[in-house]
């Protein structure tokens, strides 16, 4: 195990991390996009993005795109490189506000969090479409880890914290249980060559209907490229 620092709330840090990683000339077979914040008060990243959208979504969008060439080089016909992105069941109630992705008009911690998680699902489906169109030996899937007993809930209302403290042993997954579907997506032979899937409890399931909207996927991708400052190579793909 080797540690490299990367702050997903900083575009500069992400670019520095990618530069350091590529300097090692190592293959990249699995990328798990797992960082996140939940229900934080309204605040911005150092790049001026609303924190849920900037960290949960844009950070992973930029990181994945900057590492795509390395993933494509590492994947083979028999062993695809794999991208796993962690979303949440909250995406089912999320709404993508393309005209206000930064939640400037009306900020809601719940709404901003749900939007960021929906964006991750839309991103994954569009990414898989592009990978398939390019004939790349890379797959992209999205995972719902379930309700896991971690520090992610530190910003929830104190009553919910109290209920969580009393019932976590019964209703919440342990960290190990929460990681199981991500691990399944990363290493299971059953997932070899399978992309564009939404996984829960190590099974393929249906995501929110809006996540399958290909026009929304394209528009989000194009806008995301503008926001993080990378070229939109997807324009050449239907």
């Amino acid at each position: 195990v080797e540690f490299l620092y990367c702050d997903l709330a900083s575009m500069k840090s992400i670019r520095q991390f990618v530069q350091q990683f590529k300097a090692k000339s190592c293959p990249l077979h699995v990328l798990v996009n797992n960082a996140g914040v939940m229900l934080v008060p309204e605040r911005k990243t150092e790049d001026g993005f609303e924190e849920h959208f900037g960290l949960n979504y844009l950070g992973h969008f930029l990181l994945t795109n900057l590492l795509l060439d390395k993933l494509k080089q590492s994947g083979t016909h028999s062993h695809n490189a794999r991208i796993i992105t962690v979303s949440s069941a909250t995406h089912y109630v999320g709404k993508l506000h393309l005209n206000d992705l930064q939640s400037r008009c009306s900020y809601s911690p719940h709404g901003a969090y749900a939007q960021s998680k929906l964006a991750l699902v839309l991103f994954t489906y569009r990414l898989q479409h592009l990978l398939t169109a390019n004939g790349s030996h890379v797959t992209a899937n999205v995972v719902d880890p379930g309700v896991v007993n971690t520090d992610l809930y530190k910003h929830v209302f104190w009553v919910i914290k109290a209920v969580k403290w009393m019932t976590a042993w019964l209703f919440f997954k342990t960290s190990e249980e929460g990681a199981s579907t991500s691990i399944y997506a990363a290493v299971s032979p059953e997932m070899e060559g399978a992309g564009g899937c939404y996984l829960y409890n190590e099974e393929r399931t249906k995501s929110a209907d809006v996540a399958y909207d290909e026009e929304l996927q394209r528009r989000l991708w194009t806008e995301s490229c503008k926001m993080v400052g990378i070229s939109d190579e997807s324009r050449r793909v239907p």
Side-chain angles (χ1 to χ4, degrees):
V1 176
E2 184 175 351
F3 173 80
L4 290 176
Y5 178 81
C6 182
D7 180 358
L8 269 291
S10 165
M11 302 294 116
K12 179 180 178 181
S13 177
I14 293 168
R15 292 180 183 277
Q16 289 176 337
F17 164 80
V18 171
Q19 188 175 31
Q20 289 177 324
F21 177 78
K22 288 185 174 180
K24 294 180 175 294
S25 299
C26 297
L28 178 57
H29 299 107
V30 178
L31 171 65
V32 181
N33 292 317
N34 187 63
V37 292
M38 184 176 76
L39 307 183
V40 297
E42 186 173 10
R43 58 194 187 196
K44 300 184 185 303
T45 67
E46 67 176 45
D47 301 288
F49 301 124
E50 185 277 315
E51 189 166 357
H52 289 100
F53 196 77
L55 194 162
N56 293 2
Y57 170 65
L58 285 178
H60 291 123
F61 179 85
L62 178 61
L63 178 68
T64 302
N65 273 280
L66 294 181
L67 291 173
L68 266 184
D69 56 345
K70 183 62 70 173
L71 286 156
K72 292 176 179 178
Q73 294 167 13
S74 304
T76 65
H77 178 72
S78 57
H79 290 90
N80 283 248
R82 304 186 188 189
I83 301 167
I84 297 93
T85 297
V86 179
S87 182
S88 162
T90 312
H91 92 275
Y92 286 105
V93 297
K95 294 182 179 179
L96 194 78
H97 301 284
L98 275 172
N99 296 323
D100 186 25
L101 292 172
Q102 303 303 315
S103 303
R104 293 190 178 100
C105 294
S106 177
Y107 182 77
S108 158
H110 293 85
Y113 176 69
Q115 176 179 245
S116 72
K117 291 301 178 177
L118 174 58
L120 289 170
V121 183
L122 289 158
F123 155 67
T124 299
Y125 291 166
R126 180 60 178 166
L127 175 59
Q128 183 58 56
H129 177 80
L130 298 174
L131 291 168
T132 301
N134 293 327
S136 304
H137 298 305
V138 183
T139 58
N141 291 297
V142 61
V143 164
D144 174 2
V147 183
V148 188
N149 187 17
T150 69
D151 289 337
L152 192 64
Y153 298 86
K154 64 183 179 180
H155 292 289
V156 300
F157 191 53
W158 70 267
V159 173
I160 299 177
K161 284 184 180 179
V163 172
K164 174 181 176 290
W165 180 77
M166 291 185 290
T167 63
W169 64 275
L170 182 61
F171 298 111
F172 284 59
K173 292 182 178 182
T174 65
S175 297
E176 290 77 9
E177 291 169 339
S180 65
T181 303
S182 293
I183 295 170
Y184 172 80
V187 302
S188 171
E190 296 173 21
M191 293 303 297
E192 178 56 46
C197 302
Y198 185 87
L199 302 169
Y200 176 64
N201 284 344
E202 301 181 18
E203 293 184 356
R204 304 179 201 190
T205 188
K206 190 174 181 294
S207 62
D209 289 340
V210 68
Y212 299 103
D213 185 332
E214 295 182 0
E215 177 61 21
L216 190 60
Q217 295 168 14
R218 282 193 289 267
R219 291 176 65 190
L220 174 63
W221 186 281
T222 297
E223 187 62 28
S224 301
C225 288
K226 293 177 184 176
M227 295 173 81
V228 301
I230 61 175
S231 60
D232 183 4
E233 303 296 333
S234 72
R235 288 176 296 179
R236 296 192 290 268
V237 179

